Amino acid sequence: MFKDHHYLSGDLSKASRCYIGVLDGQIVAFGATMALPNGNFKNAWRGHRTVVLPSYQGMGIGVRFSDAIAQIHLDEGHRYFSRTSHDRMGLYREKSPLWKPTSKNKKKRTDIKYNNVFNNHYADNKRVCFSHEYIGG
């Protein structure tokens, strides 16, 4: 239902945790998260997909749905990170007191030397992305 509507890829990791967003009884959004193995901190997760069906885009559903998913992780004692090249979502997070920028926010990724797909996560050095940690309110 959502596969053809993500701006990068319809592929989804089998290790992802999935969510749906419902509005007035209609499924309108899909989200997925993944564990984020990292040597610097424990028990962290990251956003993997956020997709809103085209007829529901532009109403602020995606950012609020993303906030709700991030809050679930925070409530479970996880740290939660998300990276996006989507301008509206990135600019929302820049202004939101619920999110704080990471050290990689709006920086070209010089630590990535080539375009690749690793664990169904597209990483490249050609896009400057927004990168934030959810801190809640």
Side-chain angles (χ1 to χ4, degrees):
M1 181 174 185
F2 292 92
K3 185 175 185 168
D4 296 333
H5 302 294
H6 193 272
Y7 71 103
L8 288 179
S9 165
D11 295 336
L12 187 65
S13 172
K14 291 178 183 175
S16 61
R17 183 193 250 190
C18 299
Y19 304 84
I20 58 165
V22 178
L23 179 67
D24 295 330
Q26 297 289 326
I27 296 173
V28 301
F30 172 82
T33 64
M34 293 181 62
L36 176 64
N38 186 300
N40 296 323
F41 41 81
K42 294 180 181 179
N43 204 18
W45 285 70
R46 69 169 177 87
H48 179 47
R49 290 286 185 275
T50 303
V51 186
V52 176
L53 291 176
S55 56
Y56 293 93
Q57 292 175 5
M59 296 188 262
I61 293 171
V63 294
R64 286 169 183 81
F65 184 55
S66 175
D67 288 352
I69 292 170
Q71 187 63 51
I72 289 168
H73 283 282
L74 202 67
D75 291 347
E76 292 175 345
H78 308 152
R79 289 181 73 179
Y80 188 80
F81 297 87
S82 188
R83 180 174 178 248
T84 185
S85 64
H86 191 281
D87 283 336
R88 289 180 70 181
M89 183 169 280
L91 292 171
Y92 165 81
R93 290 176 179 167
E94 289 287 292
K95 295 177 183 177
S96 174
L98 303 175
W99 295 88
K100 71 175 183 179
T102 71
S103 62
K104 304 286 186 188
N105 188 45
K106 298 190 290 185
K107 293 183 181 173
K108 187 171 180 179
R109 295 294 301 266
T110 57
D111 57 327
I112 298 171
K113 302 298 180 199
Y114 53 88
N115 295 337
N116 68 5
V117 176
F118 178 72
N119 281 344
N120 292 319
H121 177 65
Y122 185 73
D124 67 55
N125 60 7
K126 296 187 180 358
R127 296 176 300 144
V128 175
C129 293
F130 297 91
S131 181
H132 292 87
E133 179 178 2
Y134 184 81
I135 56 173

